[in-house]
Amino acid sequence: MSTRRLQYYGSKILRNRSRKIDISLEGELLQSLLSDMLEILRMERGLGLAAPQAGENVRVFILNSEELDLKGHSVFINPELTVSGPLHKDEEGCLSIPGIFEFIKRPYKTTVTAYNPSGVQFSLDLDDYAARAVQHENDHLDGVLFVDKLSPIRKRLIRKKLSDIKREYGQDSRIL
Ligand SMILES: [Zn+2]
């Protein structure tokens, strides 16, 4: 039984800066969190999910490795990113902001170093959409949402949709 629920735009948890997790001391939390996150990602048919989206402010995200070439990795714990390359525009969405898809500029390449659930560190050099997905998920760990990166004009155009999401899901998603 999953106890954690998907957090939607308007949930304060999505705006907090998340803390690192101690893999050896917090194994139980990590295990239940990852199982809930995988369940949410599967149910919602998402590309990725960060822990705050499941209601936990810890530095963990998962990505769908069937959709993205991540050399077999799908769990990223305490990730550190280095981004490079030209800015590249592509379309993004977010499970926490349903129905909104916008083109966002991001650096084309990402090197990510993280830990897997066994506590083994790994490093990946990614580009294009995999690099973008890692940047999007990592932003969640700092309380940043992709709509924050829109131009003021685009932001104004989706303002009503955002407040609709807040009204429709916001209150409910705070109950864990
Ligand atoms: Zn997202």
Side-chain angles (χ1 to χ4, degrees):
M1 262 297 278
S2 174
T3 54
R4 296 181 177 92
R5 301 168 62 168
L6 180 58
Q7 302 293 300
Y8 291 99
Y9 186 86
S11 163
K12 207 190 157 299
I13 295 170
L14 292 177
R15 290 309 193 174
N16 294 336
R17 187 178 156 80
S18 292
R19 67 168 179 87
K20 284 192 177 179
I21 193 162
D22 187 322
I23 299 171
S24 55
L25 291 177
E26 297 181 288
E28 234 167 89
L29 166 70
L30 185 62
Q31 209 174 1
S32 86
L33 173 62
L34 286 175
S35 125
D36 287 348
M37 287 173 70
L38 284 164
E39 180 69 7
I40 293 170
L41 190 67
R42 199 178 57 82
M43 296 285 288
E44 303 286 338
R45 297 189 171 83
L47 194 63
L49 191 79
Q53 293 179 280
E56 291 284 349
N57 279 126
V58 293
R59 302 188 82 80
V60 176
F61 62 75
I62 60 174
L63 287 168
N64 187 335
S65 55
E66 283 168 22
E67 303 282 335
L68 296 165
D69 184 14
L70 301 163
K71 320 268 173 343
H73 291 281
S74 57
V75 177
F76 298 76
I77 301 165
N78 299 336
E80 302 284 351
L81 270 57
T82 308
V83 299
S84 62
L87 290 176
H88 184 72
K89 219 173 189 184
D90 211 337
E91 200 173 33
E92 293 184 28
C94 181
L95 291 180
S96 296
I97 315 176
I100 293 184
F101 299 91
E102 291 284 336
F103 282 84
I104 305 290
K105 272 188 210 163
R106 292 188 189 269
Y108 192 71
K109 292 169 181 282
T110 306
T111 299
V112 56
T113 302
Y115 292 85
N116 73 13
S118 312
V120 178
Q121 196 178 37
F122 63 94
S123 188
L124 293 176
D125 289 317
L126 304 170
D127 57 26
D128 205 1
Y129 216 84
R132 173 175 298 273
V134 164
Q135 290 175 42
H136 175 115
E137 298 310 333
N138 195 66
D139 277 351
H140 276 297
L141 309 184
D142 293 323
V144 174
L145 302 173
F146 81 99
V147 291
D148 300 344
K149 296 182 181 291
L150 291 171
S151 69
I153 289 171
R154 289 302 310 169
K155 225 177 268 181
R156 211 170 311 140
L157 287 171
I158 63 163
R159 195 163 54 188
K160 181 166 182 324
K161 277 199 219 166
L162 288 175
S163 67
D164 286 349
I165 294 169
K166 213 181 227 179
R167 200 176 45 241
E168 197 173 334
Y169 303 95
Q171 289 302 101
D172 183 52
S173 66
R174 266 170 248 196
I175 305 161
L176 289 175

Short mmCIF file of all heavy atoms in Angstrom, two decimals, residues 48 53 93-96 136-137 140 145-146, ligand 1:
data_model
loop_
_atom_site.label_atom_id
_atom_site.label_comp_id
_atom_site.label_asym_id
_atom_site.label_seq_id
_atom_site.Cartn_x
_atom_site.Cartn_y
_atom_site.Cartn_z
N GLY A 48 9.88 10.70 -15.50
CA GLY A 48 10.73 10.83 -14.32
C GLY A 48 9.94 11.37 -13.15
O GLY A 48 8.84 11.91 -13.31
N GLN A 53 8.06 15.36 -5.36
CA GLN A 53 6.78 15.10 -6.04
C GLN A 53 6.00 13.98 -5.36
O GLN A 53 4.79 13.85 -5.55
CB GLN A 53 7.01 14.73 -7.51
CG GLN A 53 7.56 15.87 -8.34
CD GLN A 53 7.77 15.44 -9.77
OE1 GLN A 53 8.76 14.80 -10.09
NE2 GLN A 53 6.82 15.76 -10.64
N GLY A 93 7.21 18.63 -19.88
CA GLY A 93 6.00 18.59 -19.07
C GLY A 93 6.41 18.09 -17.70
O GLY A 93 7.58 17.79 -17.46
N CYS A 94 5.45 18.02 -16.78
CA CYS A 94 5.77 17.59 -15.42
C CYS A 94 4.52 16.96 -14.82
O CYS A 94 3.43 17.52 -14.94
CB CYS A 94 6.20 18.80 -14.59
SG CYS A 94 6.65 18.41 -12.90
N LEU A 95 4.67 15.81 -14.19
CA LEU A 95 3.51 15.13 -13.60
C LEU A 95 2.81 16.01 -12.57
O LEU A 95 1.61 15.89 -12.37
CB LEU A 95 3.93 13.81 -12.94
CG LEU A 95 4.40 12.69 -13.87
CD1 LEU A 95 4.78 11.47 -13.04
CD2 LEU A 95 3.33 12.34 -14.89
N SER A 96 3.55 16.92 -11.94
CA SER A 96 2.97 17.80 -10.91
C SER A 96 2.24 18.99 -11.50
O SER A 96 1.58 19.74 -10.78
CB SER A 96 4.07 18.30 -9.97
OG SER A 96 4.63 17.21 -9.26
N HIS A 136 15.85 18.63 -15.29
CA HIS A 136 14.48 18.89 -14.83
C HIS A 136 14.25 18.27 -13.45
O HIS A 136 13.73 18.93 -12.54
CB HIS A 136 13.49 18.31 -15.85
CG HIS A 136 12.05 18.39 -15.45
ND1 HIS A 136 11.12 19.15 -16.14
CD2 HIS A 136 11.36 17.81 -14.44
CE1 HIS A 136 9.93 19.03 -15.55
NE2 HIS A 136 10.05 18.22 -14.51
N GLU A 137 14.65 17.00 -13.28
CA GLU A 137 14.44 16.32 -12.00
C GLU A 137 15.29 16.94 -10.91
O GLU A 137 14.84 17.12 -9.77
CB GLU A 137 14.73 14.82 -12.11
CG GLU A 137 13.85 14.05 -13.08
CD GLU A 137 12.36 14.29 -12.90
OE1 GLU A 137 11.92 14.62 -11.79
OE2 GLU A 137 11.63 14.18 -13.91
N HIS A 140 13.87 19.95 -9.28
CA HIS A 140 12.86 19.67 -8.25
C HIS A 140 13.48 19.62 -6.86
O HIS A 140 12.84 19.97 -5.87
CB HIS A 140 12.17 18.32 -8.51
CG HIS A 140 11.03 18.38 -9.49
ND1 HIS A 140 9.89 19.12 -9.25
CD2 HIS A 140 10.85 17.79 -10.69
CE1 HIS A 140 9.06 18.96 -10.28
NE2 HIS A 140 9.61 18.17 -11.17
N LEU A 145 10.61 24.58 -10.53
CA LEU A 145 9.73 23.91 -11.49
C LEU A 145 10.00 24.46 -12.90
O LEU A 145 10.42 25.61 -13.04
CB LEU A 145 8.27 24.15 -11.11
CG LEU A 145 7.89 23.67 -9.71
CD1 LEU A 145 6.47 24.11 -9.35
CD2 LEU A 145 8.03 22.16 -9.58
N PHE A 146 9.74 23.64 -13.92
CA PHE A 146 10.11 24.07 -15.28
C PHE A 146 9.39 25.34 -15.71
O PHE A 146 9.93 26.13 -16.49
CB PHE A 146 9.94 22.92 -16.29
CG PHE A 146 8.54 22.70 -16.80
CD1 PHE A 146 8.14 23.21 -18.03
CD2 PHE A 146 7.62 21.97 -16.07
CE1 PHE A 146 6.86 23.01 -18.52
CE2 PHE A 146 6.34 21.75 -16.54
CZ PHE A 146 5.95 22.27 -17.76
ZN ZN B 1 8.76 17.59 -12.96
#
